[in-house]
Amino acid sequence: MQGDPFYSVRMRAAKHNSHENGGKHISGGEMISTYDTIKYAVNELVEKAITHSRGKPDFFQVQVELIHEPINLVKPLEVQTNEVESVECGQALARRILENSGVPKRIVEKAYEVIAECSSIRGAILLDIQTGQRLDNWNEKGVRVSRMDWLPSNFEKWAIHQHIPPSSRLKEALVLATKVCDHPATIAELCWSDDPDYITGYVASKKIGYQRITRLKEYGDEQGCRIFFVDGIQNVSTYISYLEKQPILIQWGEDDDRAIN
Ligand code: PML
Ligand code: MG
């Protein structure tokens, strides 16, 4: 594998028009592939786009791009699952975990105000934990974290070891959270799905790991949330460029983080 070129393979799907023309976001996906597995990666992403609980897309795009930069290997965050009985209990726990991760209470409150205002945003919102200001540019797009993956064999080994069913949804969310939390300016992430049939979400941070919470919304609800709480960012474009461009593979069971290409 050392020395082989890698490719970023990404997909976005929408209904009633493309995203940029006001369509409804259906689904997105990110993979990193070698040349030999590009066909498999494209098929996976097409399958994801056309079999989605948010609806049948009438627009989708799959993009393949050679990665020139070295790919960093990063260990997955530790995962814990918190069973809760209701959305109220789940949301109260999410708030407590955010505070334990270092997000001040008033900023947690601010985040919930922002969530209520941005019901149809499809990417992530960046929130400064000192000022409570949104740092992304306030459009409906938000920031898309890209160029990240976890090779199937290593992910499956990890899942067996953790006694966790190897779901691709958990994999994708843990990959994203691990990449985001690996940046020193990220204090925590709060996320739940915009898919109507999936109600588990999480709070993640370097300090407390990836804390799954089994109910953060009701079934049928298509409003999702992804907020990155950040601190000490000198240059917002450099942070966004890390999220969008820095290639990362999650690797479990290695002693050191290192680059492979
Ligand atoms: C999503 O589907 O967009 C996010 C899923 C977050 C939770 C994944 C999990 O840990 O089960
Ligand atoms: Mg979704």
Side-chain angles (χ1 to χ4, degrees):
M1 186 190 264
Q2 184 93 36
D4 279 354
F6 283 85
Y7 296 80
S8 155
V9 187
R10 54 206 301 247
M11 174 278 289
R12 64 187 172 111
K15 190 177 169 74
H16 307 311
N17 223 326
S18 62
H19 297 91
E20 47 277 40
N21 290 312
K24 171 189 172 184
H25 175 66
I26 297 295
S27 139
E30 293 286 339
M31 294 176 82
I32 289 179
S33 167
T34 58
Y35 192 80
D36 291 347
T37 55
I38 286 177
K39 203 158 105 179
Y40 161 81
V42 170
N43 280 342
E44 283 271 296
L45 292 175
V46 170
E47 179 71 18
K48 186 176 180 193
I50 64 174
T51 55
H52 207 277
S53 62
R54 285 175 63 80
K56 281 189 183 170
D58 44 36
F59 166 92
F60 72 84
Q61 209 170 48
V62 178
Q63 181 177 318
V64 180
E65 212 177 2
L66 177 67
I67 295 176
H68 296 283
E69 299 80 3
I71 300 180
N72 287 349
L73 296 183
V74 183
K75 293 190 183 93
L77 291 170
E78 292 289 325
V79 174
Q80 268 181 17
T81 300
N82 303 274
E83 302 276 346
V84 290
E85 281 177 2
S86 65
V87 176
E88 292 68 33
C89 295
Q91 288 292 355
L93 179 60
R95 287 166 190 252
R96 281 203 300 281
I97 300 175
L98 284 170
E99 286 178 45
N100 291 342
S101 301
V103 182
K105 196 179 172 66
R106 69 186 168 83
I107 304 296
V108 174
E109 298 309 324
K110 174 76 189 172
Y112 279 88
E113 286 169 25
V114 172
I115 293 166
E117 285 164 19
C118 305
S119 55
S120 60
I121 191 162
R122 67 178 196 269
I125 290 169
L126 312 184
L127 209 61
D128 186 307
I129 68 157
Q130 302 297 337
T131 63
Q133 292 300 306
R134 236 183 107 176
L135 298 180
D136 54 291
N137 61 2
W138 282 95
N139 61 21
E140 284 302 296
K141 202 168 154 212
V143 178
R144 175 167 177 171
V145 188
S146 195
R147 298 188 163 203
M148 59 206 170
D149 204 349
W150 191 346
L151 299 182
S153 55
N154 189 260
F155 170 67
E156 274 147 31
K157 262 197 274 177
W158 170 88
I160 290 168
H161 187 267
Q162 308 287 320
H163 307 290
I164 291 178
S167 94
S168 56
R169 185 188 298 269
L170 168 63
K171 176 175 112 173
E172 287 165 20
L174 181 54
V175 167
L176 186 149
T178 301
K179 173 172 178 181
V180 172
C181 292
D182 202 49
H183 192 287
T186 308
I187 304 305
E189 178 191 359
L190 169 65
C191 168
W192 63 86
S193 182
D194 57 358
D195 302 357
D197 57 348
Y198 201 77
I199 60 172
T200 295
Y202 64 87
V203 176
S205 79
K206 276 179 282 292
K207 196 169 156 196
I208 47 96
Y210 180 95
Q211 296 285 337
R212 306 176 75 218
I213 301 172
T214 55
R215 288 184 88 95
L216 282 180
K217 67 172 196 180
E218 302 293 353
Y219 281 111
D221 186 348
E222 292 204 354
Q223 187 174 340
C225 157
R226 181 157 264 144
I227 300 196
F228 305 152
F229 296 88
V230 298
D231 191 18
I233 287 192
Q234 308 294 331
N235 185 328
V236 180
S237 357
T238 310
Y239 181 72
I240 293 178
S241 161
Y242 167 82
L243 298 175
E244 292 178 341
K245 296 276 179 324
Q246 171 64 52
I248 281 185
L249 276 178
I250 304 305
Q251 179 135 319
W252 173 77
E254 291 288 298
D255 288 338
D256 297 306
D257 294 352
R258 61 199 163 86
I260 54 163
N261 58 341

